[in-house]
Amino acid sequence: PIAGNFFGTVSIALLLIFASPWIARRRRALRIGIVAYATATQLVPMSIRHPAVLLPLLGALIPVAITIWALVALSRKGRAGQGTGHT
């Protein structure tokens, strides 16, 4: 029963990933949510079966968080500079 449920969840995630450009044409948050759901369907079962995988996953979050922080900071800086003519 667990394997059938797992493959059903993965199938739904795969369909959502392929359809996400069409489903969420105008909403970036929905696209990110679809990718997060698909990622969770892969990472959660793996980390339940092999808990030792959690430490590398947590370590990988550090550069991802730094990258997201830098992208947000740069996007805010770009918006503040619009209309002034200066770069």
Side-chain angles (χ1 to χ4, degrees):
I2 293 173
N5 187 19
F6 173 71
F7 288 119
T9 306
V10 170
S11 299
I12 291 170
L14 188 60
L15 287 173
L16 282 173
I17 285 292
F18 283 133
S20 68
W22 182 78
I23 293 171
R25 295 187 284 270
R26 306 200 188 275
R27 297 187 58 199
R28 182 182 300 178
L30 188 57
R31 266 183 275 149
I32 291 172
I34 290 171
V35 171
Y37 172 74
T39 302
T41 61
Q42 296 298 310
L43 292 180
V44 169
M46 180 178 61
S47 59
I48 289 173
R49 277 187 245 128
H50 306 288
V53 174
L54 284 174
L55 287 176
L57 287 175
L58 291 174
L61 282 178
I62 294 169
V64 170
I66 291 170
T67 303
I68 290 172
W69 171 78
L71 289 172
V72 168
L74 287 172
S75 71
R76 288 186 180 165
K77 182 178 179 183
R79 271 189 252 143
Q82 289 180 352
T84 62
H86 301 291
T87 55

